Amino acid sequence: MANLYSRLESGFPQGAAAIFATTGDGVALTYQGVRDQSARYANLLQSLGVEPGDRVAVQASKSLDMLMLYLGCLRSGAIFLPLNPAYTAGELGYFLKDANPRLFVCAPSSEQDVRPLAVAAGVEHVMTLGGNGAGTLVDSVSAHSAEFDTVHVENDAIAAILYTSGTTGRSKGAMLSHDNLASNCFTLKNYWRFNADDVLLHALPIFHTHGLFVATNVLMAAGAQMIFLQTFDVDQVITALPRATVMMGVPTFYIRLLNDSRFDRDLVAHIRLFVSGSAPLSADIHRAFREHTGQVILERYGMTETNMNTSNPYEGERRPGTVGLPLPGVSVRIADPESGTVLPQGEVGVIEIQGPNVFKGYWNMPEKTAAEFRNGYFISGDLGLIDADGYVAIVGRAKDLIISGGYNIYPAEVEAALDEIPQIRESAVIGVSHPDMGEGVVGVVVANQAGFVDEAVIKAELQDQLARFKQPRRIFFVDELPKNAMGKVQKNLLRETYENVFQSPSH
Ligand code: MCA
Ligand code: AMP
């Protein structure tokens, strides 16, 4: 099977002027520029001794250079490993040790702090990349040739590793092959009718499946163009929408747009598709969006490990509160969480997935990988049902997971950080309804008799331990945590107690 880049490139428009991306600053990159720059990055990687299968880790701001580095990795057979810039040094140290990249690319502003971590992890090369074209990586790449013969890769060759947290213990690196990514992006291109006339509004981060693979790969497969914004900024998005034909986002994007008086029917009348995913889009927001704009958001469902699994139809009913139908080639079934027995239609169970989209396993964790498959299906940890018309609805989670603004937060990781604080005896972390982020993180703690501790102290302690988005936005003190007979914290009771804490506008 061919390299993903070769498969994407075969759909690139031929004309020298065909635009790939325009940034918020008006900088344009053509498809010819993509061919040339990705070749330069592939040559640079080879000159550094990066070999097929070597990891190239990147923790930097969103930029077109970062995307070209991604394509350079594909072309040279290296494994692209993007990391959220919000991760703290402690979190980063783990990823570098675990993935052992040959090259680590960081922001110029953090080089001094993170270089020692890279050295300690045995990383051979450290280079820098700023969001504005600055840094040693960009300086070096210009000296390289714009000619490169994209390498042939084996069927299961890994194209990227994306870390996902887990309900217990350490983050796991999900290995995605060239075939995984190619199958999903061509399926989505056809399902969502992407074509060379499309202009995608891209305001997502590019260190996750959504912004990197779903948005960028699909766009390239169609030879379409994008408006490439640094972050989701309502003003910039509203300015750009008149030039776009498609937008992809997490529910928070659509909630924020609906709250802005400039966002109206006329502004989006020409848009052919709004896609939502990464977190539940409530049926209320779906309906409010339709009433306000006349546009019916298309909700789809995916995971880092599987890419996209289901989608509401392009033509046909997009049902609020559902994630649509299994994508062509993807098999979705509902199983009993304990036994794995497939349940009758309409019953609630754990969603299991099989198909060419499903990843090759967790990096260096064969046992964890084996534990998450049964009978050839990947166990998603999401609870759902399939209705009589085949639509999948997600009704809950078997995994203890919080999704805030489209980012996953595992309570176990936050609890471990809280429990490290000497003045805390024990803690429980829950997600409760948040009007902007969908769910917000709440910490409930029992203080040690001996020590005095308040919310400010705890927040200060967590600052260097956990990425900001994982930190509890509210912390409550209790004398004891509610527990069942087995000694397990009853999080459902805590969720009831604190369900309204984010309902005031200040949060
Ligand atoms: C930023 N903060 C957050 C989040 N983002 N806190 C909780 N949850 C978040 N998602 C922190 C900031 O550091 C800041 O901290 C404070 O919250 C307020 O920031 P604010 O300006 O309101 O946030 P923002 O910068 O506007 O970002 C919100 C956002 C962003 C636009 C929703 O988080 C985002 O782009 N989310 C998309 C995530 C995504 O792409 N997920 C896809 C995963 P302080 O006040 O201390 O400075 S892929 C996936 O899930 C699967 C495969 C799928 O199906 O797609
Ligand atoms: P991640 O591990 O970041 O890839 O997140 C994957 C998880 O996001 C899934 O297991 C779901 O719990 C959740 N998710 C993604 N899309 C949707 C959606 N449309 N509705 C509800 N949950 C979703």
Side-chain angles (χ1 to χ4, degrees):
M1 268 293 180
N3 187 302
L4 169 63
Y5 175 83
S6 308
R7 287 186 256 186
L8 295 172
E9 197 198 9
S10 63
F12 286 4
Q14 288 307 318
I19 301 286
F20 164 65
T22 314
T23 65
D25 303 330
V27 175
L29 179 65
T30 61
Y31 271 97
Q32 188 53 47
V34 172
R35 290 188 186 92
D36 294 349
Q37 278 302 92
S38 60
R40 289 194 178 95
Y41 275 105
N43 281 314
L44 168 67
L45 293 173
Q46 283 196 343
S47 76
L48 293 171
V50 175
E51 291 180 6
D54 280 349
R55 277 74 56 213
V56 172
V58 190
Q59 189 189 35
S61 317
K62 179 176 177 179
S63 69
L64 288 175
D65 277 294
M66 190 164 152
L67 277 187
M68 294 307 106
L69 175 63
Y70 158 58
L71 296 181
C73 286
L74 293 180
R75 295 187 72 172
S76 64
I79 299 175
F80 185 67
L81 197 160
L83 294 164
N84 189 336
Y87 290 141
T88 62
E91 291 165 316
L92 177 66
Y94 165 76
F95 294 124
L96 293 179
K97 277 218 173 77
D98 190 56
N100 187 226
R102 174 89 60 174
L103 166 66
F104 172 52
V105 178
C106 64
S109 56
S110 61
E111 185 186 6
Q112 214 181 337
D113 292 340
V114 302
R115 188 177 274 277
L117 296 172
V119 171
V123 178
E124 213 170 297
H125 304 283
V126 177
M127 298 181 92
T128 60
L129 174 63
N132 49 4
T136 56
L137 188 78
V138 180
D139 292 346
S140 311
V141 83
S142 52
H144 288 272
S145 162
E147 299 293 326
F148 184 86
D149 287 333
T150 300
V151 305
H152 170 82
V153 293
E154 298 301 324
N155 278 356
D156 284 351
I158 304 305
I161 293 179
L162 266 55
Y163 274 89
T164 70
S165 311
T167 37
T168 53
R170 305 182 298 146
S171 289
K172 301 163 287 183
M175 301 188 287
L176 294 148
S177 70
H178 285 252
D179 275 6
N180 290 150
L181 300 178
S183 75
N184 212 236
C185 92
F186 286 101
T187 298
L188 293 174
K189 169 192 163 255
N190 294 332
Y191 207 75
W192 295 341
R193 309 273 204 279
F194 262 76
N195 62 78
D197 294 330
D198 272 320
V199 180
L200 172 75
L201 197 158
H202 192 305
L204 290 156
I206 54 169
F207 46 80
H208 272 313
T209 296
H210 198 163
L212 185 61
F213 304 139
V214 185
T216 317
N217 284 352
V218 171
L219 164 105
M220 285 189 282
Q225 51 173 296
M226 65 174 156
I227 304 166
F228 191 70
L229 302 179
Q230 188 71 24
T231 57
F232 180 84
D233 173 90
V234 175
D235 291 339
Q236 283 191 33
V237 168
I238 285 178
T239 306
L241 271 170
R243 288 178 283 131
T245 64
V246 183
M247 177 173 167
M248 291 183 191
V250 297
T252 300
F253 288 13
Y254 299 116
I255 292 170
R256 289 186 180 181
L257 285 171
L258 277 177
N259 283 334
D260 194 292
S261 60
R262 295 165 296 174
F263 185 72
D264 61 16
R265 200 169 272 260
D266 288 347
L267 189 76
V268 298
H270 64 290
I271 301 271
R272 73 166 185 87
L273 182 63
F274 284 100
V275 181
S276 178
S278 308
L281 179 75
S282 77
D284 285 350
I285 298 292
H286 191 283
R287 292 195 189 96
F289 200 90
R290 181 177 201 162
E291 273 162 31
H292 190 72
T293 64
Q295 296 269 1
V296 186
I297 297 177
L298 180 153
E299 184 173 8
R300 69 12 169 224
Y301 159 59
M303 295 184 71
T304 301
E305 289 91 336
T306 61
N307 296 285
M308 298 304 104
N309 303 314
T310 70
S311 170
N312 271 280
Y314 188 77
E315 277 158 11
E317 191 193 353
R318 298 179 194 166
R319 248 177 231 185
T322 80
V323 291
L325 308 155
L327 285 165
V330 179
S331 169
V332 177
R333 66 182 198 186
I334 306 293
D336 179 88
E338 302 308 323
S339 66
T341 309
V342 178
L343 296 173
Q345 184 270 313
E347 284 191 22
V348 172
V350 68
I351 300 174
E352 298 188 347
I353 313 288
Q354 189 182 56
N357 52 317
V358 177
F359 76 140
K360 299 295 163 200
Y362 296 112
W363 172 255
N364 277 344
M365 291 184 178
E367 294 86 14
K368 279 213 157 79
T369 305
E372 300 208 18
F373 281 86
R374 68 184 155 201
N375 307 319
Y377 278 71
F378 176 68
I379 308 166
S380 72
D382 292 310
L383 296 175
L385 58 82
I386 303 181
D387 74 14
D389 300 323
Y391 283 70
V392 177
I394 299 174
V395 300
R397 294 175 202 138
K399 50 194 174 188
D400 190 10
L401 165 70
I402 301 169
I403 306 184
S404 170
Y407 286 148
N408 287 10
I409 298 150
Y410 279 89
E413 189 186 357
V414 186
E415 288 158 3
L418 285 169
D419 294 347
E420 283 289 302
I421 300 173
Q423 299 96 321
I424 291 180
R425 171 139 45 99
E426 57 175 345
S427 63
V429 168
I430 50 169
V432 299
S433 173
H434 190 287
D436 179 42
M437 296 287 186
E439 288 180 288
V441 182
V442 170
V444 186
V445 302
V446 181
N448 268 325
Q449 302 289 18
F452 172 74
V453 64
D454 65 11
E455 190 164 353
V457 170
I458 295 176
K459 286 189 169 168
E461 289 275 349
L462 293 180
Q463 211 53 36
D464 295 333
Q465 303 304 318
L466 289 177
R468 176 73 188 96
F469 70 89
K470 298 178 191 169
Q471 296 172 23
R473 293 201 169 194
R474 295 294 309 275
I475 290 168
F476 295 94
F477 296 88
V478 293
D479 292 335
E480 55 186 321
L481 294 169
K483 291 186 181 160
N484 66 15
M486 311 292 289
K488 199 168 175 285
V489 177
Q490 292 169 300
K491 291 200 169 178
N492 52 335
L493 294 183
L494 291 177
R495 278 189 285 266
E496 277 171 26
T497 307
Y498 299 103
E499 65 184 347
N500 291 320
V501 296
F502 293 123
Q503 298 312 315
S504 75
S506 59
H507 300 105

